[in-house]
Amino acid sequence: MPTRRIGDRTVSALGLGGMPLSIEGRPDTAQSVATIHAALDAGVTLIDTADAYHRDTREVGHNEELIARALREYGPGADDVLVATKGGHLRPGDGSWTKNGRPEYLKEAAKASAQRLGVEAIGLYQFHRPDPEVPYEDSIGAIRELLDEGVIALAGISNANIEQIETADAILGGRLASVQNQFSPRFRSSEEELRHCAAKSIAFLPWSPLGGIARAGELARDHAAFAEVAAELEVSVYQVTLAWELALAPVVVPIPGASRAASIQDSAQAAHLQLTEDQMNRLSATTSGEK
């Protein structure tokens, strides 16, 4: 698979988003492990997770533990995989999401994530979502401490605007490795952040790059240009979508979620799909109804 850069690490041009394997509607453990192994077989060397990717109250870190297990069972072939996890976003267990950007909490959460992942240093740790109750500078200060102490090898942020990207990079001393924002044909309000990251050579990781778990199946219906190009190339609309995102900038590394081996196997083919200038123009001209 073609590769891209996140900080000083080389990773596959497409990653695997682990969230569908641990939240509501998740598959059983055997299917989840098989999905992760299928991603590795396809050349994926980036897996995205978070301590908040779980379903029930007492299973914080479910997805981290699942990924760690799958990598152990895969064997030596998983040695080069970069596992990116996040902290600062929580699920109390009632289906809601809450935030905690307190520095002391983030440092505790990162160390707990490292333990669940079975690593001395987390490959990439990202502040999951700004907490309006905590100054952003304080939260990022904790990420810098984790980086300086060697608890994490690379630092990133998620759900950030341009001002926050600049603030984080300054506090981290120019060491901001990644920005993970929502981006897809349905949700394109992060295009400015994508361009900003491209100008600064910071990896941009679109989450829900196919429109989200509940909406991915509506891609062809809601975005005719993507369906048309898929028909022209005789590939899935998902491959076209991911190939379009990859072609927007060399810093883009989409992380499509998957709960079946066939899904990530199909997505992985997008890394090899070449779109013409005309096709790119038609796809990029598509407007989104959501911001």
Side-chain angles (χ1 to χ4, degrees):
M1 181 182 287
T3 59
R4 299 211 161 172
R5 299 284 292 180
I6 299 179
D8 61 0
R9 291 288 299 270
T10 298
V11 299
S12 54
L14 282 159
L16 169 67
M19 188 172 75
L21 301 175
S22 291
I23 63 169
E24 291 79 0
R26 66 194 186 195
D28 60 30
T29 300
Q31 182 175 326
S32 295
V33 170
T35 300
I36 296 169
H37 287 179
L40 301 181
D41 288 342
V44 170
T45 58
L46 170 67
I47 301 179
D48 177 77
T49 182
D51 59 1
Y53 293 166
H54 63 88
R55 185 185 63 195
D56 304 322
T57 307
R58 292 190 175 90
E59 58 172 26
V60 174
H62 178 278
N63 197 243
E64 293 173 324
E65 293 176 343
L66 175 67
I67 289 167
R69 170 182 170 173
L71 293 178
R72 285 195 306 271
E73 293 180 0
Y74 193 80
D79 292 344
D80 293 332
V81 174
L82 175 64
V83 177
T85 191
K86 299 180 287 295
H89 212 11
L90 302 86
R91 301 196 79 195
D94 59 1
S96 67
W97 294 79
T98 59
K99 307 176 188 71
N100 190 340
R102 291 184 295 110
E104 59 272 24
Y105 171 77
L106 289 173
K107 288 186 281 188
E108 292 174 1
K111 291 172 184 176
S113 288
Q115 185 173 20
R116 285 189 290 265
L117 291 169
V119 297
E120 293 184 7
I122 295 171
L124 171 61
Y125 193 72
Q126 302 166 103
F127 179 38
H128 204 154
R129 188 176 288 271
D131 181 351
E133 302 298 322
V134 179
Y136 195 69
E137 294 81 358
D138 292 354
S139 299
I140 301 302
I143 303 299
R144 174 166 184 155
E145 289 183 32
L146 291 166
L147 190 59
D148 290 341
E149 293 169 8
V151 178
I152 65 177
L154 295 171
I157 55 177
S158 185
N159 302 296
N161 59 33
I162 290 176
E163 181 181 356
Q164 290 164 338
I165 294 170
E166 287 295 292
T167 296
D169 198 32
I171 292 173
L172 293 168
R175 294 178 292 172
L176 181 64
S178 66
V179 173
Q180 183 174 324
N181 279 10
Q182 184 175 15
F183 184 80
S184 68
R186 181 172 71 90
F187 193 96
R188 291 178 58 176
S189 64
S190 282
E191 283 185 272
E192 289 187 11
E193 287 77 14
L194 188 160
R195 288 193 292 269
H196 190 72
C197 287
K200 293 176 67 71
S201 297
I202 296 171
F204 184 86
L205 282 55
W207 62 265
S208 289
L210 300 175
I213 296 172
R215 298 287 293 272
E218 301 168 3
L219 254 173
R221 185 197 71 186
D222 294 343
H223 305 281
F226 287 81
E228 291 167 3
V229 172
E232 292 168 9
L233 298 175
E234 298 182 337
V235 298
S236 72
V237 69
Y238 310 115
Q239 285 188 37
V240 170
T241 300
L242 296 169
W244 168 70
E245 292 170 7
L246 285 166
L248 291 174
V251 299
V252 176
V253 185
I255 45 172
S259 56
R260 297 182 301 114
S263 296
I264 190 59
Q265 288 166 340
D266 180 73
S267 291
Q269 295 304 309
H272 305 282
L273 189 63
Q274 297 295 316
L275 301 173
T276 66
E277 182 179 355
D278 172 69
Q279 289 168 337
M280 282 296 298
N281 289 338
R282 287 153 55 196
L283 299 174
S284 294
T286 301
T287 57
S288 169
E290 298 191 29
K291 299 295 184 182

